[in-house]
Amino acid sequence: MSDVRVIIQRDSEREERVVTTGTTAAELFAGERSIIAARVAGELKDLAYEPRDGETVEGVEISSEDGLNILRHSTAHVMAQAVQELFPEAKLGIGPPVKDGFYYDFDVEKPFTPEDLRAVEKKMQEIQKRGQRFSRRVVTDEAAREELASEPYKLELIGLKGSASHDDGADVEVGAGELTIYDNLDAKTGELCWKDLCRGPHLPSTRLIPAFKLMRNAAAYWRGSEKNPMLQRIYGTAWPSKDELKAYLDFLAEAEKRDHRKLGSELDLFSIPEQIGSGLAVFHPKGGIVRRVMEDYSRRRHEEEGYEFVYTPHATKGKLFETSGHLDWYADGMYPPMQLDEGVDYYLKPMNCPMHNLIFDARGRSYRELPLRLFEFGTVYRYEKSGVVHGLTRARGFTQDDAHIYCTREQMSDELDKTLTFVLGLLRDYGLTDFYLELSTKDPEKFVGSDEVWEEATETLRQVAEKQGLPLVPDPGGAAFYGPKISVQTKDAIGRTWQMSTIQLDFNLPERFDLEYTGPDGSKQRPVMIHRALFGSIERFFAVLLEHYAGAFPAWLAPVQAVGIPIGDAHVEYLEKFAVAAKKKGLRVEVDSSSDRMQKKIRNAQKQKVPFMVIAGDEDMSNNSVSFRYRDGSQENGIPFDEAIAKIVKVVEERTQV
């Protein structure tokens, strides 16, 4: 047997090794149990791969991003095998890895029940313990069609080879090159147990799946299109260790407690009535208070920063969105037109920017007016597919805190810097502190304008972002059609990342709307346009804050800042005087004068997550004082009447949490 020279890459270290022809990647990394695949020339390979002379081989750790995807996709295969063992009539769809887990789609006669899922999970555990080998083999299209003749969805995927999409997960099954089937082989006999069309790679064995759990099932259209059959999708999760699985399940339990839809109902903040329609919320009085406080503070800060307030209608002639390009690029996400005025198409607006352009263009503008900062709480409407609508975080009608800044080319960099600093400062005021920035650059298939203009805009944004001293993450191809953008990403109290503000630099719309200002020399010049949504939308930001604080808003945002709790009926009037005095200081105070016992009143206030419970009994009345009880159960007694009010006022003014 001849020898081959291979290079083993470990981080920055390279080890050259001479091995016998036919040596596998598994043998190169023998004893390194965390290595579950190999990367050769940028491509992921099974550990059964036999490196060729001169190739560089890098081990893929199970805990790396690629390693987790391989683990989860392998577990998805085990799930599909378990389903077909229990439900032989089930036809296979697609089973890609997704964030924190995997799913697999099945065509079955009846939807899966919770009992079915428990049975599938039990069967998966059996398959895992059997230690079946994942074995790759290359097949021709014809052979694959013959082997998979009973799997109509797999036959469709074979026809997609070379054009499979990542969006619907099809690219995990078929790629641009050769077609492969993975056989699950009995560990002892080598007999075929099951097979599936797949690109791979996979774990060497089902026994190497450390920890998994099935989560739920849902209906899903085949390849995400409403024109296709409805399939049943089972979601699961898989992790490199049982401890990591437990931590993830604990995290999900905490996230569920914080779900804004659940808290919105419990705290009587908002609802999404079926009679109005999916993705269209109404805010109740208490939610209205929170929203108004959020908006009022934002208005005040915008005024301080030189923004001017504008207002625009909710509907417009379609021609406006033809001019802006939205009908070319976003028609699928817009509500269908209404035909008015003898056949003229009117649309509910999905964006505010075209209308702000008309305000800019309503009269002649001078360079002396620039930068011109127009700001609006503008309600927009987007026809989101029913499958992606999610409470307030993905809605069909929402209010953007939208600003458009018009400036000269020379002012552009400074204005972007000011805008980003303002954005980050305002988000910090609401209690968010953990940020990183994302720079979205041109989608080569979806952009307008010249390459030179895009390069200038992108580089300007990059420099502005770097000045903040925050991590900057590239997002290639993620820009809107008209220009690159910076997105502010923030982590909440339990470590989830949310996209907050976006800042977009746009040379295109001023061109499309023929916007001009008069320069110092009297010449007509084109302004630069900066798009900025600070919260993204009021509704979504409301939901993020609700989940971040788990409903326990800091006092300045809380719908009820303090509730008076009398020890007995004789103390009600005293606390009502306290409430009147507190309200004169702008505080939101209520007195619980119900017939409930005191302990019940405390429990009710705790359920409503009120920051201050103000308790008074005989001793407090005789001393002209009150006692504070806080959300965590701690208590502060004998606080003088006026001092207690001043203390609440200070906490509200300083926007601190109690």
Side-chain angles (χ1 to χ4, degrees), residues 120-379:
V120 171
E121 188 169 278
K122 190 177 176 187
K123 181 62 71 175
M124 288 172 70
Q125 289 163 350
E126 290 174 19
I127 295 168
Q128 184 230 14
K129 285 173 184 166
R130 289 177 209 160
Q132 292 176 3
R133 285 190 293 114
F134 287 100
S135 179
R136 180 180 185 270
R137 69 187 153 92
V138 179
V139 291
T140 63
D141 290 16
E142 292 74 21
R145 286 193 180 95
E146 192 176 323
E147 280 195 56
L148 301 168
S150 63
E151 295 286 357
Y153 301 100
K154 297 294 182 184
L155 294 177
E156 183 179 325
L157 292 176
I158 294 168
L160 289 176
K161 192 177 75 167
S163 61
S165 169
H166 179 68
D167 294 342
D168 61 17
D171 62 343
V172 303
E173 311 281 356
V174 292
E178 58 195 9
L179 206 61
T180 55
I181 286 177
Y182 272 79
D183 296 325
N184 281 28
L185 304 176
D186 185 277
K188 292 176 182 171
T189 66
E191 286 180 24
L192 178 68
C193 303
W194 188 76
K195 62 185 173 188
D196 195 5
L197 181 74
C198 188
R199 288 178 68 186
H202 281 287
L203 299 172
S205 160
T206 61
R207 195 178 289 280
L208 295 178
I209 300 173
F212 66 87
K213 184 166 180 59
L214 297 191
M215 306 303 293
R216 60 189 174 90
N217 65 297
Y221 290 109
W222 166 238
R223 297 184 59 217
S225 172
E226 294 172 14
K227 298 171 187 172
N228 290 336
M230 183 74 81
L231 306 183
Q232 288 296 307
R233 176 172 294 178
I234 301 179
Y235 289 92
T237 188
W239 293 87
S241 71
K242 287 181 177 167
D243 285 347
E244 285 167 277
L245 173 62
K246 183 180 181 303
Y248 177 67
L249 296 176
D250 290 346
F251 163 80
L252 288 184
E254 180 60 34
E256 191 177 346
K257 281 186 212 165
R258 293 169 179 259
D259 188 308
H260 71 278
R261 297 165 300 177
K262 178 170 168 280
L263 289 170
S265 174
E266 288 174 0
L267 301 175
D268 194 20
L269 302 174
F270 70 91
S271 57
I272 303 172
E274 180 57 39
Q275 300 94 317
I276 297 178
S278 178
L280 301 165
V282 293
F283 280 77
H284 302 188
K286 283 184 176 177
I289 291 170
V290 181
R291 179 166 173 162
R292 180 174 55 78
V293 172
M294 284 168 56
E295 290 179 4
D296 285 353
Y297 184 72
S298 177
R299 281 190 183 94
R300 197 182 92 205
R301 291 287 294 111
H302 277 85
E303 284 170 348
E304 291 168 359
E305 292 292 324
Y307 287 78
E308 298 175 83
F309 292 84
V310 298
Y311 299 86
T312 60
H314 291 213
T316 174
K317 291 177 181 177
K319 183 72 178 168
L320 184 66
F321 290 116
E322 285 177 20
T323 304
S324 69
H326 289 102
L327 269 176
D328 292 335
W329 299 102
Y330 292 131
D332 288 349
M334 293 169 66
Y335 273 90
M338 303 168 279
Q339 290 208 331
L340 308 171
D341 301 338
E342 299 179 4
V344 176
D345 283 350
Y346 278 74
Y347 287 87
L348 290 171
K349 63 174 178 178
M351 305 273 187
N352 301 300
C353 30
M355 294 187 182
H356 290 191
N357 286 343
L358 297 183
I359 294 171
F360 180 94
D361 203 37
R363 62 170 175 81
R365 299 287 178 181
S366 161
Y367 74 95
R368 298 180 191 276
E369 295 178 76
L370 305 183
L372 180 65
R373 307 180 185 100
L374 303 182
F375 176 81
E376 176 180 20
F377 285 118
T379 302

Side-chain angles (χ1 to χ4, degrees), residues 99 420 423-425 427-428 431-441 465 468-476 478-479 485-493 495-504 533-536 540-541 544 548:
K99 187 178 182 304
L420 185 54
V423 161
L424 290 166
L427 290 174
R428 288 184 178 109
L432 301 171
T433 56
D434 190 349
F435 303 111
Y436 71 90
L437 303 177
E438 194 170 74
L439 179 60
S440 301
T441 51
Q468 294 294 332
L470 293 169
L472 183 60
V473 177
D475 174 32
K485 69 177 177 186
I486 293 172
S487 303
V488 177
Q489 310 282 338
T490 186
K491 285 190 178 172
D492 67 10
R496 294 172 300 183
T497 299
W498 298 89
Q499 179 176 300
M500 286 287 108
S501 315
T502 56
I503 299 170
Q504 296 169 285
L534 201 153
F535 297 151
R540 185 172 176 274
F541 190 63
V544 171
H548 175 66

Side-chain angles (χ1 to χ4, degrees), residues 551-568:
F553 287 115
W556 77 283
L557 285 171
V560 179
Q561 295 169 326
V563 63
I565 298 176
I567 290 176

Side-chain angles (χ1 to χ4, degrees), residues 533-580:
L534 201 153
F535 297 151
S537 83
I538 299 292
E539 290 81 356
R540 185 172 176 274
F541 190 63
F542 181 102
V544 171
L545 289 183
L546 186 55
E547 296 201 6
H548 175 66
Y549 289 115
F553 287 115
W556 77 283
L557 285 171
V560 179
Q561 295 169 326
V563 63
I565 298 176
I567 290 176
D569 291 346
H571 313 116
V572 171
E573 190 179 342
Y574 177 73
L575 282 172
E576 283 176 343
K577 286 179 184 172
F578 181 91
V580 168

